[in-house]
Amino acid sequence: MTASSQPSASKDINLDDFETRYRSGPWLNRFVFTLSVLLALAHIYINTIATLPELWVSAFHFAGFGMLCALLIPASPQWRESKIALFCDGILVFALIGMVLYIVFFEDALYARGVTFNNADWIVSSVAVLMSLELIRRTSGWFIPFLIIVALTYVVLWGSWLGGMFNFPGLSLETLLYRSFFSTDGMFGSISRISWSFVFMFILFGAFLVKSGAGDFIIDLSRSLASKMIGGPGFVAVLGSGLMGSVSGSSVANTVSTGVITIPLMRKAGFPARFAAGVEAAASTGGQLMPPVMGAGAFIMASYTQVSYVTIISVAAIPALLYFLSVGFFVRVEAKRSRVIATESDDAVNMSQVLKEGWHHIVPLGVLVALLVQGFTPTYAAGISILAVVAASFLSPKHRMGPIAILDAMAQGAKNMSTTAVLLVGIGLVVNVISTTGVGNTFSLLITNWASGSLLLTIILVAIASLILGMGLPVTAAYIVLGTLSAPALFNLIAESQLLDMMSSGHLPEAASAVFMLVDPSAMAALAQGMPMEQAQALLAQVPNDFKSMLMDQALGAQSIAMILVTAHMIIFWLSQDSNVTPPVCLTAFAAAAIAKTPPMLTGMTAWKLAKGLYIVPLLMAYTPLIGGDTETLLRLSFFAIFGMYALVGAMEGYLEDKLTLLPRLVALVASVMMLWPNLALWIQLIGLGLFLAIFVMGNKSYKKTA
């Protein structure tokens, strides 16, 4: 695989997946190793005790990891052994160093001139943007640089040519370069700050865990837990990917690290090769959904919503478990159909032995969770957890991390971060354009108009947009762009939906009811008793937009408003994952297909089918209190969602413990709807559960007769 032949290769892949210059000579390897270790140490210092201007830190962050990318990934794969190309990239390295020095020593001079550019300002800011485009092109292909160019030229050139709601009068090139380079809104803005703080520290934490042998422990633990289950190897893939994802937060890394073990195991047990690859791809996609890391998504979501990181990962846990269960149901159904009963005896792993030898790997995760719950910052918690990894490794004679292993982990963490760092810094240019021009609000209004106020149609439109963007953008970048553009529209519709439910049920607080006195005093009696949904919608439509936000605050409360905002972002974050498993560009499925030696596109279709939880769970988030609900509500929602998804899998596959004829298949579909449809009465959900259990029991009896 090369950066040119696989344009979307930045989807959570580290530098080891590219055509690098590792064979260009030992001196380069030593230099890159030293640079990587120094970058790791510098970032640890920055995130713990340093008090430096954020602009300087962001510039250093971009320059340091840009140097790694420039030295390791040539401009073209054919030039990876070219001395001339290496010399040119050496010039790029010095340009990156010069960029940082210029910001440090000449930023004050710019403000002393009244933010008027001189020739040096023009040159340095322009070259910095161009270097960002080139580094992203090397690691991510042409799509993202093209998107950045379109965004930048919209501000200074063709935005003024457009008519209608997307018309933008334009800014001067000097203003654009200032906002892109010198201000904390562009390359070195909030996205860059998240990159050098939260994201780096957790990627480094993951590198230390892997170096300490935690990856092998996770696989062995999964095998010991699932070996006795029907379709055990498939559940090893699901469990292993879930546990590995809670550490790495990377879909492709999950696929490669766990798939080399789980896919051969599944094939040996009797699963079809394409299904085995699809299971691994679908399960690994959950890596970015599973707390505590969730890729970079949890940190960016916390920044966007101003809700604490701990709250984000706590509300993300149940939806993530539902997703992995949905993949597991497909595994069980296929295991029954393919007569896969259990793993071979020589593959069995004793759980007590696994825990005895690897229990110390759990200690750092426990330290991380404990520190987060106690209110420490994520960066501090990650830093202490890294020390816990090293300390815990000495509890096992096989995994003790000495100085060499610690340096190796630092170097690997920095290398793994390099492609993510240059990408997030570059995406900051797009985010800056969106905030500067107000195109985000315009896009939200456009979505609302297209969907005619329908929450379901809005989610469908966001899903389509996420799929299209995901063909060229890594999932984190796709979430950033879509979250900036469409989260306001989704938030408003979810909030209005909850407000309408309160109006129709007569549970609207008195303070909120007072707002309607200004609109229709005659409706006050109906509001107190409850009114038909159509009447509530008509009444809400009369409220001026200036009063709607106040109405929502008074009706829903600050806590509910915060959870609705998290819900909107969580839905977009989940939908942004679908490009991992949806053809034509589905890198996670392609990686699994390469291991299973199956057709990539057909494997992608299988993975897409198995990952249906990516669409079902966001709908539950939108229409139920799955995010932020009380314990009783969450237990009820989760209970019926589990059986509802199992019934849906049976209806889709035509198999539930045994082959389903047309009538039982339709009954299973009806049962799934009765359990998954939001806000139905409890007795309806219980009837759906009864129908499912009846089909399940009959299928089990039929299966035993033919076994």
Side-chain angles (χ1 to χ4, degrees):
M1 174 171 47
T2 67
S4 60
S5 63
Q6 194 61 264
S8 59
S10 66
K11 293 188 180 183
D12 313 307
I13 301 182
N14 60 45
L15 283 169
D16 294 336
D17 299 290
F18 292 89
E19 293 286 357
T20 63
R21 288 192 175 108
Y22 281 119
R23 291 178 288 180
S24 295
W27 69 270
L28 180 61
N29 292 338
R30 286 195 294 269
F31 180 79
V32 167
F33 179 86
T34 304
L35 176 61
S36 300
V37 172
L38 291 176
L39 280 173
L41 289 171
H43 278 74
I44 292 172
Y45 169 72
I46 288 168
N47 282 297
T48 51
I49 60 177
T51 54
L52 297 172
E54 290 187 358
L55 182 66
W56 294 11
V57 174
S58 294
F60 168 77
H61 175 72
F62 170 63
F65 289 112
M67 289 164 62
L68 277 183
C69 288
L71 291 173
L72 286 174
I73 305 177
S76 173
Q78 291 77 18
W79 298 345
R80 67 180 184 272
E81 297 183 20
S82 168
K83 302 299 182 184
I84 297 176
L86 182 58
F87 175 78
C88 293
D89 287 334
I91 297 175
L92 180 58
V93 167
F94 281 105
L96 288 163
I97 295 173
M99 177 203 70
V100 179
L101 295 176
Y102 191 86
I103 282 184
V104 172
F105 291 106
F106 295 98
E107 180 193 6
D108 290 341
L110 172 66
Y111 293 108
R113 292 191 302 272
V115 199
T116 300
F117 273 27
N118 62 17
N119 290 336
D121 295 330
W122 281 101
I123 292 171
V124 173
S125 58
S126 300
V127 169
V129 172
L130 292 174
M131 287 191 297
S132 175
L133 295 176
E134 167 58 15
L135 291 171
I136 295 174
R137 183 199 65 81
R138 294 189 186 194
T139 58
S140 307
W142 283 102
F143 184 88
I144 301 176
F146 175 75
L147 178 65
I148 294 172
I149 291 171
V150 169
L152 295 178
T153 53
Y154 170 75
V155 175
V156 297
L157 185 62
W158 58 273
S160 60
W161 303 346
L162 297 178
M165 59 197 312
F166 284 104
N167 176 267
F168 182 69
L171 298 174
S172 67
L173 182 59
E174 182 182 30
T175 302
L176 175 65
L177 287 175
Y178 168 76
R179 292 183 64 88
S180 298
F181 181 69
F182 285 103
S183 80
T184 54
D185 297 319
M187 295 173 60
F188 307 136
S190 60
I191 304 300
S192 176
R193 183 170 61 253
I194 293 168
S195 180
W196 57 254
S197 56
F198 305 133
V199 178
F200 173 79
M201 292 300 290
F202 275 85
I203 284 181
L204 186 64
F205 173 58
F208 268 82
L209 276 176
V210 171
K211 190 66 180 178
S212 71
D216 294 335
F217 168 71
I218 286 172
I219 294 298
D220 289 341
L221 181 62
S222 301
R223 291 174 63 186
S224 67
L225 289 170
S227 60
K228 303 301 181 183
M229 300 171 65
I230 294 175
F235 285 103
V236 170
V238 176
L239 287 172
S241 295
L243 294 172
M244 187 71 76
S246 69
V247 174
S248 70
S250 169
S251 302
V252 176
N254 246 342
T255 302
V256 174
S257 59
T258 60
V260 293
I261 298 173
T262 59
I263 290 176
L265 275 177
M266 283 188 276
R267 294 191 63 181
K268 182 179 179 181
F271 283 106
R274 182 150 55 93
F275 180 85
V279 167
E280 182 57 48
S284 294
T285 296
Q288 293 207 13
L289 306 175
M290 176 62 73
V293 180
M294 297 171 64
F299 311 117
I300 296 169
M301 198 180 302
S303 175
Y304 276 179
T305 62
Q306 295 300 299
V307 174
S308 72
Y309 170 79
V310 176
T311 302
I312 297 290
I313 62 175
S314 63
V315 300
I318 290 179
L321 291 174
L322 289 176
Y323 174 79
F324 283 106
L325 282 172
S326 70
V327 179
F329 295 146
F330 279 104
V331 170
R332 179 180 171 86
V333 166
E334 184 60 38
K336 284 277 191 173
R337 182 160 48 197
S338 300
R339 304 287 172 171
V340 177
I341 302 302
T343 55
E344 298 293 333
S345 58
D346 57 353
D347 287 332
V349 181
N350 185 277
M351 186 192 303
S352 61
Q353 185 65 25
V354 171
L355 291 174
K356 180 180 178 181
E357 295 180 356
W359 67 270
H360 62 282
H361 293 298
I362 303 174
V363 173
L365 292 175
V367 170
L368 175 65
V369 173
L371 289 173
L372 290 173
V373 171
Q374 289 298 316
F376 291 94
T377 64
T379 51
Y380 180 85
I384 298 300
S385 299
I386 289 171
L387 296 178
V389 174
V390 177
S393 69
F394 282 87
L395 298 174
S396 170
K398 295 182 180 179
H399 301 103
R400 290 177 179 171
M401 294 185 68
I404 300 300
I406 291 173
L407 292 176
D408 284 343
M410 286 185 177
Q412 191 59 49
K415 292 175 186 176
N416 291 348
M417 180 66 197
S418 56
T419 55
T420 301
V422 297
L423 171 67
L424 292 180
V425 169
I427 286 296
L429 291 168
V430 178
V431 174
N432 178 43
V433 169
I434 292 172
S435 61
T436 299
T437 61
V439 73
N441 292 332
T442 303
F443 189 81
S444 293
L445 290 173
L446 190 63
I447 287 180
T448 303
N449 290 336
W450 282 354
S452 300
S454 168
L455 178 57
L456 178 60
L457 284 178
T458 301
I459 293 174
I460 292 172
L461 289 173
V462 172
I464 294 171
S466 72
L467 179 58
I468 294 172
L469 280 177
M471 293 178 186
L473 287 174
V475 291
T476 302
Y479 161 63
I480 293 171
V481 174
L482 272 175
T484 307
L485 290 173
S486 56
L490 203 52
F491 164 78
N492 285 331
L493 287 173
I494 295 174
E496 285 188 11
S497 176
Q498 294 191 15
L499 181 59
L500 288 169
D501 287 339
M502 297 175 74
M503 292 169 63
S504 63
S505 62
H507 293 151
L508 195 68
E510 290 185 10
S513 299
V515 176
F516 289 101
M517 285 288 294
L518 305 173
V519 178
D520 187 359
S522 63
M524 298 303 294
L527 276 173
Q529 298 175 358
M531 59 177 61
M533 183 61 72
E534 294 78 9
Q535 185 180 350
Q537 291 172 339
L539 182 60
L540 182 60
Q542 298 179 49
V543 178
N545 290 329
D546 295 340
F547 287 93
K548 275 190 178 179
S549 59
M550 179 179 66
L551 174 61
M552 290 178 183
D553 288 340
Q554 292 177 344
L556 302 173
Q559 179 65 24
S560 294
I561 290 289
M563 286 299 100
I564 293 171
L565 185 58
V566 171
T567 298
H569 278 272
M570 194 71 74
I571 290 171
I572 295 169
F573 181 64
W574 272 62
L575 293 177
S576 68
Q577 310 297 319
D578 64 351
S579 61
N580 276 322
V581 291
T582 307
V585 179
C586 42
L587 197 60
T588 303
F590 290 168
I595 298 172
K597 296 179 173 56
T598 54
M601 228 27 110
L602 292 177
T603 303
M605 292 300 297
T606 301
W608 179 66
K609 179 184 73 172
L610 300 178
K612 282 297 171 283
L614 286 178
Y615 309 103
I616 297 172
V617 177
L619 288 174
L620 290 175
M621 294 179 192
Y623 288 99
T624 68
L626 189 61
I627 300 291
D630 58 70
T631 303
E632 181 182 351
T633 302
L634 288 176
L635 287 175
R636 175 180 167 180
L637 284 172
S638 303
F639 177 80
F640 286 107
I642 290 170
F643 288 102
M645 287 193 292
Y646 200 171
L648 181 61
V649 169
M652 290 175 59
E653 294 291 283
Y655 200 100
L656 191 65
E657 295 300 291
D658 202 357
K659 185 176 181 180
L660 297 178
T661 58
L662 179 59
L663 181 58
R665 191 171 184 176
L666 290 174
V667 173
L669 179 61
V670 171
S672 70
V673 172
M674 294 173 75
M675 288 184 283
L676 290 173
W677 198 270
N679 304 319
L680 288 181
L682 178 61
W683 66 270
I684 297 177
Q685 292 179 307
L686 289 173
I687 291 175
L689 177 61
L691 292 174
F692 164 76
L693 292 176
I695 298 172
F696 184 90
V697 171
M698 288 189 295
N700 187 263
K701 290 181 179 179
S702 175
Y703 181 86
K704 288 180 178 180
K705 290 179 181 178
T706 58

